[in-house]
Amino acid sequence: MELLASKMNPKTLDDVIGQRHLLGKNKVFTNLVKNKKIFSMILYGPPGIGKTSIARAMVNDLGMHFRFLNATINNKKDLDQVIEEAKLYDDGLILIMDEIHRLNKDKQDILLPQLETGLITLIGMTTSNPYHSINPAIRSRCQLYELKPLTKEDIIDGLDKACKSGNLPKIKIDKDSIEYIASCAGSDLRFAYNLLEVAYYSYNGKITLEDLKKLNNKPSYVSDKDGDGHYDLLSAFQKSIRGSDVDAALHYLGRLIEFGDLDSIYRRMSVICYEDIGLANPSMGPRVMAAISASELIGLPEARIPLGEIVIELALSPKSNSAISAIDAALEDIEKGNIGPIPDVIKINTTTYKYPHNYPGAYVVQQYMPDNLLNKKYYTPKEYGYEVNIKKVYDNIEKIKKRSN
């Protein structure tokens, strides 16, 4: 039996829910289809927000031949067959590949030459960050597009369409019930469709809020009467830790635990280590990973214990944002084109490079920065926590530099 979520898959880009930054008048995907052009690309974002739907809708609109593979399930033989089929068409073939981040080296070696020649146009999909998880050789041949989490309004729009689609004949459901399903779904439209369909068949097409709560009794992502969403909850969690309010941090942790949303907790704590704690307490990175490992090992409800302990440590740890400020300043220069040639002294075939380990304190003054960025400072050390020790080293190096000028 075909599920409602499958029946509601968009046939064209006009049917897609959300992603207004990519779809609509003068938006990139709409214009590509309008101009009958397609390039290799990677779509990334959370599950259930429409990556596969957009890929299929785009090829439908273009009227091009395509095949669907999963990088984990399908083998080299499957990929070879797709390539052979692509040779039958003048304009090649579009390969839609799920879990592209799991494409191993053997399959990459087969695929890369076909991307170069244009025989295969790749639309890859992943829930992982492609800048970290996808091989650079694949990534460099693709345009990367982030799909945004669907809003509550997007989910409601999808549910309304499902109710009017005829796929659930004579369904009876009120506005409050629709909003409850949307709240439970977070940004996952597939989850919303599934819950709607289960409720429809469980209660003979007449769905009430009371019945929905019996089916899905976990607290929703919308966690209070004002409608604070899932991402607001994660934001409150991080900002409470950043602000060293240990009780508020535990409160928001508890709300996330109650929903069973461990993955979001893990990701957010890992970000906090390096964005907010940073060099003031660099030991927190390994400590957070240890707490995550313990939580995964023992599972809920006991996972609340290591999670509660590490959140207390994070909230009461000294804080420093010097590292994120430094890398963002460097990236800003690069984005503006402030790069310059690499100095000869540190190129591969240099004969003038001074090996620091041959000098006292493993430091010697020589030029590392491009000429146009000499004396540029990105990093400004803080004067508290462990970073005090780093600042001493930094200040000493600066004194040696000044003496050599």
Side-chain angles (χ1 to χ4, degrees), residues 273-308:
C273 281
Y274 299 99
E275 180 179 350
D276 298 309
I277 309 294
L279 295 171
N281 189 359
S283 68
M284 285 308 301
R287 291 187 61 75
V288 164
M289 291 310 298
I292 290 172
S293 296
S295 300
E296 283 289 277
L297 180 65
I298 62 180
L300 287 172
E302 287 82 1
R304 75 190 189 282
I305 304 169
L307 289 176

